[in-house]
Amino acid sequence: MSTSQVPAAGSPSDAALVLFSGGQDSSVCLAWALERYARVETVGFDYGQRHSIEMQARQSVRAAIAERFPHWAERLGEDHVLDIRSFGAVAESALTADRAIEMTERGLPSTFVPGRNLVFLTYAAALADRRGAVALVGGMCETDFSGYPDCRRDTMDAMQSALNLGMDRAFRIETPLMWLTKAQTWALAKTLGGEDLVDLIVVESHTCYQGERGQLHPWGHGCGECPACELRQRGYEEWDAAGREALAE
Ligand code: ZN
C-alpha cells in the first residue's frame, strides 16, 4: 500500500467538489468529503448514459444524507450536472450504446469509456475554479478493479499536474478509495457514518450496469448478475462475513 502520492488533506475551511455518480463508491466519497470540508458541492455528468436511474440515485443519496446527517447537511452545497453528451457520442461503449458487456481484445471490459475520468476531471476542475473549491474528490480505485487505466493514481497525479499547470491553480485530486478493496469501502462507510450510512448507501445508491433497481438485496438494488453488481455483492458479503467492522484508522 502506498499513500505517499496521495495529496495531504486540506484545511477544514476549504471547499471540495465531489465527482458524484450516485453509485456506492462516490456516495462514500461524498460522506468522506463532508467529514473533512466546510463546503462540499457535487458534480455529475450526463454523457448519454442509458440509465437515467443513476441520475435519480444521485438526488436520492443527497436528500437522504441531508435528512439523516444534520451536521453534514449544513456543509452540503449545490449539485451540478454537466452535459457532456458529445463525449459520450465519441466514446460509444457498452454504457452508452446497446452493446453486451464483455471483455474486449485490449483486455478491458466493454464498459470502459476511453479517457472518461480525464474528461470528467477537466470539467470538474473548470467548475471548481468558478466555485472556489480546492479539492476534487473521486472514487477512482486501483484495487479490486477491472483495470481501467484512467483510475490509476499515477494517472491522477499526471492529471493533477496538468490541470494545475494549465489552469494556474493548486487543485488536489483526492481519491480516498484508491487503495481500498470493495469490502474496505463498506468499512470506510461505517467509519464515516456508522450503520446508518451503510444502510443509506445500500438502499439509495445505484451501481448496476443494467440500470435495474429491482429487488433490494442485502447489498443493495440491482440485477445481481452484471459485473458491477457482482463486485458490489462480493465486497459487501466479504465485509459482512468479517464482522462488519469499521475501517481501522
Ligand atoms: Zn447489475
Side-chain angles (χ1 to χ4, degrees), residues 206-212 219 221-230:
H206 182 84
T207 305
C208 178
Y209 281 148
Q210 307 293 349
E212 221 173 270
W219 45 269
H221 289 281
C223 73
E225 284 164 12
C226 73
C229 280
E230 276 178 19

Side-chain angles (χ1 to χ4, degrees), residues 10-18 33 36-41 75 128 131-137 169 171-172 174:
S11 149
S13 62
D14 285 345
L17 179 64
V18 179
R36 274 165 185 74
Y37 290 101
R39 181 166 55 88
V40 177
E41 300 189 2
R75 299 172 169 195
R131 304 295 302 169
V134 296
L136 306 172
V137 182
R169 295 296 300 255
F171 295 121
R172 296 185 306 274
E174 300 191 334

